[in-house]
């Protein structure tokens, strides 16, 4: 089966046909997603809608399969030996878990940020320009402009514009994480997955990242820089206050019968103030988890 | 009571370990000292300049030029490194990223086995298989610089492959995940992220292979033909410095003997320079990893 949209190799076309962001219009719908390691499910039967142009937080105690579920959404689970994913995850009408989908092409549209900032061992400039080059942006001038725009988008430009040729590893942890976000948004993904993006950072750096994520939700410039489009995000976090601060929607994962499940989801406000499940009530009030 | 007991064991252990350290360090110092001491008269009796400017190597009749043999050592080493470097890196990439798990394990064992084959066996194989083949395909006697390069390539290949693989393995998983998350396929991840990050480690693997090639005597001696002449035609025979020492030490007297000791100093200097360079590269690698 061919999936023209997901397999689209030309980045200039990606994102040109944008549905108007409607409230709670789902960009991604996970149906019965189960992630197993060596045949043993880590998280089972997740049913979740990710609303377009909003930030969805996934919260829950350690070992409840939040990160496994997240990694399945851009098929990074393919890289883990013995890991299998079943179910369906419909991104704009196409199942990204289907066997015919090219995971490399998918990951250009669904970016990911990790807990530990992972800039490449090369200059700041090359960290941004290399992925563009690898993804087919031909002109050197285009790459330079896009890299600058991405650095402006994440508020790094004023801090690093004088030392773009220095190693990215010399930046502070918070700067490195913002560089990683710049590197992801410059490819203009439809969806950005963030796996505890602030848990290795101090409170000030965390605040910068949180501000940045809410700004990006409003719109960022990417490959077609005249037009801003909202960036849908899914954030796995252990920090309940962070979920309250930045997430529009929240999904709660829990461990039941030795396996991770999603127990409830909805607008953050209602999940925190009127939880449906007893576990959620105890967790969000700090009594358990 | 118990405290005294443990302190005694600690003290004895420290003395023993220090003694071992002193012995191994002093062996190195003694070898270097011996070599310099034995070859020192070469500077006074023969004169260092003559090793460069004499017309030829004829030590029994007053010709002490080491130029042709030093050039042969350099040419054979560079040739072997030029072949074994890319092959070894490709082999490391294959066994780390492309081979299925079972195949990779068997393959790695094979490479380790190759590393353990005694050099005289390589020489023997070269002599009975490679040299006749070169004689048939290229003409001439077969024993040649080309034969020496090919045998050395096989001998240093496992050094590059095994050290190169650990250099690749040292590239952190999060770098590879990061590359994958940016829509880079396997080859693009390797080419654009993993290889640049592993470059200093790969370079020191190649350098160590080169050092091994410089020092290799037996296999080269058996296939190179051992005629003292400037390297040029790959099908012509050459004699390298190490082979020269092995061939002539048995009967050398007087200035001839001195000259052989001095060529040992030349080899040692080459290798020491390589070790220093490897150390500089290693520091570069650590710096790149730390970002300092």
């Amino acid at each position: 089966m061919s999936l023209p949209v997901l397999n689209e190799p030309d980045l200039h076309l990606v994102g040109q046909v944008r549905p108007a962001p409607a409230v709670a219009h789902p960009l991604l719908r996970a149906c019965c997603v189960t992630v197993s390691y060596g045949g043993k499910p880590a998280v089972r039967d997740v049913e979740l809608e990710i609303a377009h142009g909003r930030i969805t937080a996934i919260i829950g105690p350690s070992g409840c399969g939040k990160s496994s579920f997240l990694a399945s959404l851009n098929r990074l689970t393919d890289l883990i030996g013995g890991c299998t994913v079943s179910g369906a995850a419909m991104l704009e009408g196409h199942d990204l878990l289907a066997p015919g989908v090219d995971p490399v092409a998918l990951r250009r549209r669904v970016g990911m940020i990790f807990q530990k900032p992972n800039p490449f061992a090369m200059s700041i400039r090359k960290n941004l320009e290399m992925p563009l080059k690898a993804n087919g942006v031909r002109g050197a001038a285009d790459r330079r402009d896009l890299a600058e725009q991405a650095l402006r988008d994440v508020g790094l430009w004023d801090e690093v514009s004088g030392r773009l040729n220095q190693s990215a590893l010399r930046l502070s942890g918070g700067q490195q994480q913002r560089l990683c976000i710049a590197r992801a948004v410059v490819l203009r993904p439809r969806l950005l997955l963030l796996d505890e993006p602030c848990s290795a950072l101090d409170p000030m750096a965390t605040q910068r990242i949180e501000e940045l994520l809410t700004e990006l939700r409003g719109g960022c410039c990417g490959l077609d820089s005249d037009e801003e489009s909202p960036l849908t995000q899914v954030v796995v976090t252990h920090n309940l206050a962070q979920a309250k601060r930045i997430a529009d929607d929240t999904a709660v994962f829990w461990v039941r019968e030795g396996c991770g499940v999603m127990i409830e989801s909805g607008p953050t406000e209602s999940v925190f103030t009127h939880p449906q499940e007893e576990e959620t009530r105890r967790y969000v009030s700090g009594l358990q988890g | 009571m118990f405290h005294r007991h443990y302190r005694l064991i600690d003290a004895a252990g420290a003395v023993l370990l220090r003694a071992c350290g002193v012995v191994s360090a002093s062996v190195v110092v003694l070898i270097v000292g011996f070599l310099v001491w034995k070859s020192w008269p070469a500077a006074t009796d023969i004169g260092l300049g003559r090793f460069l400017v004499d017309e030829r190597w004829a030590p029994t009749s007053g010709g002490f030029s080491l130029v042709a043999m030093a050039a042969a050592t350099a040419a054979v080493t560079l040739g072997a490194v030029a072949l074994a470097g890319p092959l070894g890196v490709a082999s490391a990439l294959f066994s780390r990223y492309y081979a299925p798990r079972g195949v990779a394990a068997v393959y790695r064992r094979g490479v380790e086995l190759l590393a353990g084959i005694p050099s005289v066996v390589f020489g023997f194989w070269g002599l009975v298989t490679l040299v006749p083949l070169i004689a048939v395909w290229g003409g001439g006697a077969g024993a040649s610089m080309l034969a020496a390069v090919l045998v050395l390539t096989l001998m240093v290949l496992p050094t590059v492959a095994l050290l190169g693989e650990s250099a690749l393995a040292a590239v952190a998983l999060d770098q590879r995940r990061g590359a994958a998350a940016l829509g880079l396929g396997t080859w693009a991840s390797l080419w654009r992220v993993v290889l640049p990050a592993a470059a200093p480690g790969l370079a020191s693997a190649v350098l160590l292979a080169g050092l091994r090639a410089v020092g290799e005597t037996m296999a080269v001696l058996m296939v190179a033909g051992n005629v003292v002449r400037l390297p040029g035609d790959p099908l012509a025979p050459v004699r390298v410095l190490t082979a020269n020492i092995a061939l002539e030490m048995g009967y050398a007297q007087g200035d001839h003997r001195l000259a052989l000791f001095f060529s040992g100093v030349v080899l040692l200097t080459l290798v020491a320079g390589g070790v220093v360079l490897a150390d500089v590269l290693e520091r570069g690698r650590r710096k790149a990893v730390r970002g300092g």
Side-chain angles (χ1 to χ4, degrees):
Chain A
M1 189 177 78
S2 76
L3 293 164
V5 177
L6 284 181
N7 287 319
E8 181 55 71
D10 187 348
L11 272 170
H12 292 282
L13 297 178
V14 172
Q16 275 189 356
V17 185
R18 269 185 225 113
V23 177
H25 166 74
L27 175 75
L28 184 134
R29 183 182 288 129
C31 310
C32 258
V33 171
T34 298
V35 184
S36 309
Y37 296 95
K40 188 179 178 298
V43 58
R44 183 157 45 198
D45 295 335
V46 177
E47 303 276 343
L48 183 63
E49 283 188 355
I50 307 296
H52 177 80
R54 287 159 75 96
I55 297 178
T56 303
I58 299 180
I59 60 173
S62 298
C64 64
K66 311 182 291 290
S67 297
S68 295
F69 172 70
L70 195 74
S72 73
L73 297 183
N74 76 344
R75 300 276 295 266
L76 272 186
T77 40
D78 289 13
L79 302 182
I80 305 167
C83 180
T84 50
V85 182
S86 64
M90 309 301 289
L91 178 69
E92 298 174 320
H94 298 287
D95 179 10
L96 58 85
L97 297 177
V101 174
D102 173 11
V104 173
L106 167 68
R107 290 178 197 134
R108 288 172 198 167
R109 314 195 61 221
V110 183
M112 185 147 186
I113 302 297
F114 301 90
Q115 177 174 4
K116 182 170 168 267
N118 58 348
F120 301 131
M122 51 184 80
S123 70
I124 297 168
R125 182 197 297 283
K126 284 195 80 181
N127 259 281
L128 290 158
E129 293 185 0
M130 184 276 289
L132 288 168
K133 197 172 175 184
N135 282 294
V137 178
R138 295 263 174 265
D142 287 347
R143 289 197 295 266
R144 202 167 46 244
D145 293 347
L146 286 167
E148 178 179 337
Q149 185 57 49
L151 286 172
R152 289 187 191 282
D153 279 344
V154 300
L156 260 183
W157 178 253
D158 293 335
E159 293 164 48
V160 304
S161 59
R163 47 180 174 139
L164 291 175
N165 293 320
Q166 267 185 18
S167 169
L169 301 177
R170 297 176 73 163
L171 297 172
S172 72
Q175 288 174 324
Q176 289 189 8
Q177 194 64 303
R178 279 186 284 151
L179 179 65
C180 291
I181 293 172
R183 200 172 66 178
V185 299
V186 78
L187 297 176
R188 189 68 106 137
R190 303 291 284 131
L191 176 64
L192 188 62
L193 311 171
L194 303 105
D195 191 357
E196 299 184 43
C198 301
S199 60
L201 305 179
D202 66 64
M204 293 304 291
T206 298
Q207 192 188 347
R208 289 299 309 267
I209 301 277
E210 289 179 4
E211 286 166 6
L212 169 62
L213 296 182
T214 41
E215 277 167 32
L216 290 174
R217 170 184 53 187
C220 62
C221 294
L223 288 170
D224 30 311
S225 55
D226 298 339
E227 198 182 351
E228 296 208 333
S229 78
L231 178 62
T232 310
Q233 298 159 50
V234 183
V235 187
V236 163
T237 180
H238 274 124
N239 184 337
L240 295 175
Q242 180 174 63
K244 260 194 246 184
R245 283 193 296 266
I246 65 171
D248 305 295
D249 301 308
T250 294
V252 185
F253 280 46
W254 205 259
V255 183
R256 279 182 181 166
E257 293 160 13
C259 179
V261 286
M262 196 203 72
I263 55 173
E264 74 175 286
S265 67
T268 301
E269 175 72 19
S270 75
V271 169
F272 276 85
T273 53
H274 307 293
Q276 303 295 305
E277 302 286 325
E278 176 61 16
E279 288 103 327
T280 309
R281 192 188 63 74
R282 292 176 65 83
Y283 186 62
V284 299
S285 59
L287 292 173
Q288 191 185 355
Chain B
M1 182 63 203
F2 282 115
H3 281 287
R4 283 179 81 84
H5 189 59
Y6 282 118
R7 239 189 289 170
L8 198 67
I9 290 178
D10 275 352
V15 167
L16 190 70
L17 289 177
R18 271 186 212 139
C20 292
V22 167
V23 168
S24 5
S26 47
V27 166
V28 175
V29 171
L30 283 175
I31 289 175
V32 173
F34 174 79
L35 204 54
V36 171
W37 173 52
K38 279 290 185 183
S39 61
W40 192 253
T44 50
D45 293 10
I46 306 172
L48 292 183
R50 291 187 59 194
F51 292 109
L52 277 176
V53 299
D54 273 6
E55 268 181 34
R56 58 206 180 93
W57 174 254
T60 46
S61 51
F64 290 104
S65 171
L66 295 178
V67 172
M69 291 181 288
T73 293
V76 168
T77 300
L78 288 178
V81 165
L83 289 175
L87 275 176
V89 172
S91 150
L93 285 174
F94 168 75
S95 84
R96 183 130 203 104
Y97 294 101
Y98 286 95
R101 197 174 293 189
V103 175
V106 174
Y107 182 80
R108 204 167 300 138
R109 286 279 166 272
V111 174
E112 282 165 8
L113 191 66
L114 194 63
I117 295 177
S119 64
V120 68
V121 175
F122 276 103
F124 190 63
W125 171 81
L127 201 60
V128 299
T129 308
L130 195 60
V131 166
L133 267 181
I134 291 174
V136 169
W137 290 99
S144 58
M145 185 165 90
L146 179 65
V149 166
L150 292 179
V151 167
L152 267 185
T153 299
L154 277 184
M155 292 184 67
V156 303
L157 184 62
T159 307
V160 183
L162 294 172
L163 293 176
E165 196 174 335
S166 51
L168 292 177
V171 177
L173 175 70
D174 64 349
Q175 297 266 309
R176 279 179 278 141
R177 273 196 316 184
L182 290 169
L184 273 65
T186 306
W187 175 245
S189 300
L190 292 181
W191 181 248
R192 295 180 190 278
V193 175
V194 174
L195 282 178
L202 293 174
S204 69
V206 170
L207 196 72
L208 288 174
L211 294 183
R212 184 167 176 217
V214 168
E216 179 49 42
T217 310
M218 185 50 76
V220 176
L221 177 80
M222 288 168 80
V223 300
N226 302 315
V227 176
V228 181
R229 52 179 290 170
L230 279 171
D233 179 5
L235 293 173
V238 289
R239 183 187 292 196
V240 297
L241 281 172
T242 47
N244 186 50
I245 298 174
L247 285 166
E248 300 188 358
M249 198 48 120
Y251 63 86
Q253 302 286 327
D255 283 354
H256 183 188
R257 201 174 161 82
L258 277 181
L260 293 182
F261 272 108
F262 182 74
S263 54
V265 174
V266 171
L267 279 169
L268 194 70
T269 312
L270 275 177
V271 172
V275 170
V276 170
L277 193 60
D279 193 49
V280 170
L281 285 173
E282 174 64 17
R283 274 163 213 260
R285 190 182 71 78
R286 291 220 199 103
K287 208 169 161 186
V289 169
R290 267 203 328 268

